[in-house]
Amino acid sequence: MKDLLRAADLSGDDVTLLLRLAADFQNAPESAHDLLAHRTVPMYFAKPSTRTRLSTAAAVARLGGTPVAVGPDELQLRRGETIGDTARVMGAYAAAIVIRTFADADVADLAAAAPVPVVNALTDGHHPLQAVADLLTVQERFGHLHGRRVAYLGDGGNVARSLMEAAALAGMDVAVATPPGYAPPDEAAEFAAAEAERRGGAVTLTADPVEAVKGASVVYTDVWLSMGDADSERERRTAALAPYRVDEELMAHARDDAVFMHCLPAHRGQEVTAGVLDGPRSLAFRQAANRLPATQAVLYALLTRRLEGRR
C-alpha cells in the first residue's frame, strides 16, 4: 500500500498495526529518529489547520526529517501547473507528501502521479489521520476496541465517515445519528456495515440521538459548520443539528463509564456544552495529543511498506 487516502483503504490488520505502532511511538517517540534523516516531507495546506499542521510537522521531525509547509499561494498551481506535474516535482525532492485540501479528486490525482507516499490530511470527504488517533484514544481508555460502541452525533461528513470506516475495521459497534439529509454517504455506510459484520460488530444509522448513545462507551460529535460550508448555510444547519447537541442529559443515556470525544475545534454551546467538553468525561484534548503518534505511525508504516491495504 503506497498511499493513505481514506480509512477504507486499510485492512483490519492495518488498523491493528497502526494502533500498535502509535502506542509504541507514544512510549518511545524518537525510536525511529533516523528514518527520514536528511529528507523532507512537503505539507500542502489549502485549508487552515492547527492540530494537523503541528502534529504532522512534529511527526516528521521525530522521524528525523524536515517538514516543509506550503500553501496555495506558494506553489504554481494557481498559475496553471497541474496537480500531476506538481506531484512529480515534489516527489523528486521528498520522502512523502501530506495534503490537506477540499476535493478528494485532487488528492487522488496527486497520489496517482507522485512517486512517493501521499497522506490525506483532510478533504471534504475523508479524515483518516483523525480516525487513527480516535481509535488510539479509545484503546488507551478501555484497553480494547472490539465490541465497544461508539456513537457519533451531528453531521455525517468527513470525520463521521472516517471514524465509521475505521471503527468497523476494528470490530466496533458504530451508531451514527444525523438529521435527514446529513447522513454519511451510502457507500461509506455499506462498507462499514459489511466490515463490522465480518468482525462481530454492527453499524446503526438513526435520526434519534438517544437511541444512538444507549450502551455507548464513546459519544462523539463535530462542528456544525465545516470548512467549505458557506456562512449562508449556518442558520439552516443550526436548526437541523440543534437536537443533536451533546449535553449532560444526553450523556446520561450512555454507559456510566462513557467518554466524550471531539476532533476540535469545538464551539461550546453549539454542538457540545461547555460542561461536557471541559468536564471529567471529555477526552477531546487527549485525542488532539494523540494526533502526533498516530501520524507518526502512518508515515512510518507507509515509508517502510508495512501496510497491506485492501485486496
Side-chain angles (χ1 to χ4, degrees):
M1 178 174 168
K2 171 180 165 285
D3 312 299
L4 178 60
L5 307 188
R6 56 181 189 161
D9 289 339
L10 299 167
S11 68
D13 288 343
D14 289 337
V15 172
T16 299
L17 172 65
L18 288 174
L19 295 178
R20 180 177 64 77
L21 288 171
D24 289 345
F25 282 129
Q26 283 179 316
N27 296 324
E30 284 80 39
S31 58
H33 67 277
D34 58 349
L35 179 67
L36 288 173
H38 312 297
R39 305 177 77 186
T40 63
V41 175
M43 307 185 309
Y44 174 76
F45 286 84
K47 292 184 174 185
S49 174
T50 299
R51 281 147 293 276
T52 301
R53 181 186 293 263
L54 297 176
S55 62
T56 303
V60 172
R62 284 186 174 183
L63 295 173
T66 301
V68 181
V70 294
D73 295 331
E74 299 168 277
L75 300 179
Q76 302 289 352
L77 288 168
R78 288 187 173 173
R79 296 183 63 237
E81 184 167 49
T82 69
I83 198 163
D85 289 350
T86 301
R88 294 181 183 93
V89 171
M90 280 186 170
Y93 310 142
I97 301 169
V98 177
I99 178 171
R100 180 184 180 97
T101 190
F102 295 89
D104 289 283
D106 288 344
V107 179
D109 289 346
L110 184 80
V116 297
V118 170
V119 178
N120 179 354
L122 181 142
T123 55
D124 291 344
H126 301 275
H127 201 351
L129 291 178
Q130 181 67 54
V132 176
D134 292 342
L135 296 194
L136 176 64
T137 305
V138 178
Q139 182 173 273
E140 267 187 335
R141 182 59 175 250
F142 295 108
H144 66 90
L145 299 175
H146 191 273
R148 289 281 174 187
R149 182 177 176 93
V150 54
Y152 179 94
L153 288 78
D155 179 18
N158 51 9
V159 170
R161 176 175 187 166
S162 291
L163 174 68
M164 182 170 62
E165 292 171 346
L169 287 167
M172 300 182 74
D173 288 345
V174 186
V176 179
T178 63
Y182 290 81
D186 290 343
E187 174 194 2
E190 291 166 3
F191 169 87
E195 292 299 327
E197 184 177 4
R198 284 180 57 195
R199 294 167 173 79
V203 171
T204 301
L205 300 182
T206 179
D208 185 347
V210 173
E211 178 189 353
V213 303
K214 284 182 178 178
S217 296
V218 178
V219 179
Y220 195 131
T221 193
D222 191 9
V223 296
W224 290 346
L225 195 72
S226 298
M227 288 178 287
D229 291 332
D231 284 342
S232 60
E233 291 285 293
R234 186 179 302 276
E235 185 175 344
R236 180 182 67 83
R237 293 178 69 86
T238 298
L241 292 163
Y244 299 84
R245 176 181 292 113
V246 179
D247 56 19
E248 291 83 349
E249 181 180 352
L250 186 60
M251 288 293 297
H253 291 282
R255 288 170 53 101
D256 291 342
D257 62 349
V259 297
F260 171 74
M261 294 176 65
H262 192 305
C263 58
L264 301 179
H267 299 88
R268 293 165 176 82
Q270 294 185 22
E271 73 274 6
V272 60
T273 62
V276 171
L277 180 65
D278 300 318
R281 302 172 81 175
S282 175
L283 295 183
F285 294 96
R286 183 59 185 174
Q287 265 179 281
N290 281 343
R291 290 292 305 279
L292 172 50
T295 302
Q296 194 174 357
V298 167
L299 287 170
Y300 178 88
L302 288 173
L303 288 162
T304 57
R305 307 187 71 83
R306 301 282 298 279
L307 298 179
E308 62 184 16
R310 299 192 54 74
R311 299 177 181 176

